[in-house]
Amino acid sequence: QVSMQYNPGWNSSSVNLLHVRAVGPADTLHYVWSSIGAPAVLLVATESGSSSLRVNWSQLLSPTPAGAVWIDPPSSVVYSAAVVFTKVFEYRDTKAPEELFYPTYDLSDFSWDSINHTLNHTALTAEFRGIPATDPGGSFSNGSVAFRVTAYEAGGRDGPLPSLLHTANSSKVEFILAGVAPRGNSSRFTLEVATVEELEVAQKLRSVRSIDDEYTPTIFEMLSLVAESQNDSSTLGFLQWKATAYGSQTPRREDGIRCRSESLRAANWTLPVSSIVRAYFGEGVGSTYTVSAINISFGGEEGEVYQEKRYLSWSALLGFGQPPMDTFSPLVISIMAVALGTPVLMLLVGTCLVLFAQRKRYSEYEPIN
């Protein structure tokens, strides 16, 4: 049973906090999305079917928000983490050892619209849309950055590309860059994503390649950022995405935009500026918790895909436990069976014909005594 609640316990829509609560038979999963500071989501799993979110709003909106957000009862929490979308970089590939970077878009300095008018309790979707608080170059005069959130009540597969396979233990986030004017020719964009984990949890980046691209044509790679317990190597949570983005609101194969992921790195030197993270984990995020970051870059050849359509959409799943794994589709299994089975069948038939011909030829002769 999944429910969404906007700004629980707060009547103003000047800030955004969205609580997604998924209740199971003996546990509850909490997703707490917020654009107070940098856009972020808290992921908290509890072993109680009645655990609830508590927010001290006056403290949350103060300069010292530590302790303003917690789960009641605290003893029911078995795993907690956070994903923060910190910055958007724009650069120009000069084919030199170093690219030309323009001033960074710090998402904690953005002004975000109220999600109250985009919140759909039936479809379990909401959208955070924002623009820089100051835009001297006018790049955002007709554009915005958005994070579209989708929750799931059951497993299945998304219809639109990249057709991600999801479970009831996961949610989807779409990063959308729409109408933003590039500041140079052949501009490319990079999204910085930071994660917050407990010290005994290690983050690892996995890449899985498959010959089956039926659901996402021409894309053969799936990437997963998984949180593993160092005690028993169990997977506690994940962020998963296909190695592609799209340049259309109704994406097709030809709208694909190349997506590259850089190596995972420690980010204690640049803590995510997010009130919701500090409100839950406290001020000592860099010392008592591990902060990692990864850059995800988008851009086709010479960046022409975004230049032409001024639209970019990248989708990712996040959730608890093992990330969903695609198996070979029935179509691919049928093709492989025909491709591999036909030569084997021909070999068997040929062998039988040769043996039968040899037996018939030598049966006319009497054996020598």
Side-chain angles (χ1 to χ4, degrees):
Q1 182 180 359
V2 180
S3 61
M4 285 182 163
Q5 189 176 11
Y6 175 63
N7 287 352
W10 185 254
N11 294 325
S12 173
S13 60
S14 59
V15 295
N16 290 316
L17 188 147
L18 176 66
H19 178 214
V20 180
R21 185 169 181 260
V23 181
D27 57 5
T28 304
L29 306 179
H30 299 270
Y31 301 85
V32 185
W33 300 87
S34 174
S35 60
I36 304 173
V41 55
L42 298 175
L43 297 95
V44 184
T46 71
E47 55 185 2
S48 168
S50 59
S51 62
S52 57
L53 175 70
R54 304 297 185 200
V55 181
N56 183 329
W57 280 98
S58 59
Q59 186 176 354
L60 176 62
L61 300 178
S62 72
T64 56
V69 174
W70 70 98
I71 297 295
D72 189 27
S75 59
S76 66
V77 176
V78 293
Y79 172 67
S80 58
V83 177
V84 189
F85 303 97
T86 53
K87 299 173 184 176
V88 174
F89 302 100
E90 181 182 352
Y91 65 97
R92 184 167 56 121
D93 188 356
T94 60
K95 300 188 183 302
E98 295 183 359
E99 292 92 355
L100 173 62
F101 278 83
Y102 298 98
T104 302
Y105 293 121
D106 191 332
L107 296 179
S108 64
D109 295 330
F110 272 46
S111 175
W112 299 93
D113 296 341
S114 171
I115 67 168
N116 202 21
H117 64 281
T118 66
L119 183 58
N120 188 324
H121 292 275
T122 303
L124 298 176
T125 59
E127 184 172 308
F128 298 81
R129 185 184 297 113
I131 60 174
T134 58
D135 184 24
S139 296
F140 280 80
S141 57
N142 295 310
S144 64
V145 165
F147 293 91
R148 185 178 298 152
V149 177
T150 303
Y152 300 111
E153 291 183 310
R157 185 182 297 276
D158 281 347
L161 292 175
S163 303
L164 294 174
L165 180 68
H166 62 262
T167 68
N169 292 339
S170 61
S171 293
K172 183 177 73 171
V173 58
E174 297 174 74
F175 166 67
I176 301 171
L177 192 68
V180 178
R183 288 174 285 184
N185 295 327
S186 304
S187 281
R188 302 187 183 189
F189 294 91
T190 295
L191 175 66
E192 183 184 66
V193 182
T195 62
V196 180
E197 298 283 355
E198 297 176 353
L199 291 180
E200 60 270 18
V201 177
Q203 284 278 3
K204 294 184 179 180
L205 180 63
R206 296 175 181 172
S207 173
V208 178
R209 295 182 179 272
S210 172
I211 63 172
D212 188 351
D213 70 335
E214 178 185 359
Y215 300 109
T216 312
T218 73
I219 305 301
F220 302 95
E221 184 180 15
M222 175 77 82
L223 295 109
S224 301
L225 190 61
V226 297
E228 292 185 352
S229 171
Q230 295 181 346
N231 297 328
D232 55 10
S233 298
S234 61
T235 301
L236 303 174
F238 64 89
L239 180 70
Q240 184 185 60
W241 65 96
K242 287 281 188 114
T244 185
Y246 291 95
S248 172
Q249 296 186 42
T250 55
R252 299 168 297 174
R253 181 180 61 83
E254 54 267 30
D255 299 318
I257 297 176
R258 185 181 179 187
C259 174
R260 295 180 299 172
S261 302
E262 299 180 10
S263 58
L264 185 67
R265 66 187 188 279
N268 291 347
W269 48 271
T270 173
L271 296 180
V273 181
S274 175
S275 294
I276 196 71
V277 171
R278 296 186 183 277
Y280 183 83
F281 292 103
E283 294 295 338
V285 175
S287 56
T288 56
Y289 296 89
T290 301
V291 183
S292 305
I294 186 171
N295 286 353
I296 301 170
S297 303
F298 316 98
E301 291 297 329
E302 305 300 334
E304 77 281 357
V305 175
Y306 183 80
Q307 290 279 358
E308 293 175 2
K309 301 186 177 181
R310 299 285 178 92
Y311 189 89
L312 184 151
S313 174
W314 171 77
S315 301
L317 285 178
L318 50 86
F320 302 89
Q322 287 282 357
M325 296 299 295
D326 265 318
T327 56
F328 284 112
S329 64
L331 176 62
V332 172
I333 292 175
S334 301
I335 294 174
M336 292 176 63
V338 172
L340 298 177
T342 300
V344 173
L345 180 61
M346 292 176 65
L347 180 61
L348 291 174
V349 172
T351 302
C352 292
L353 290 174
V354 170
L355 292 176
F356 178 76
Q358 288 180 341
R359 181 179 179 184
K360 184 176 181 180
R361 180 187 309 171
Y362 292 105
S363 64
E364 299 176 356
Y365 296 91
E366 293 294 333
I368 298 176
N369 188 351

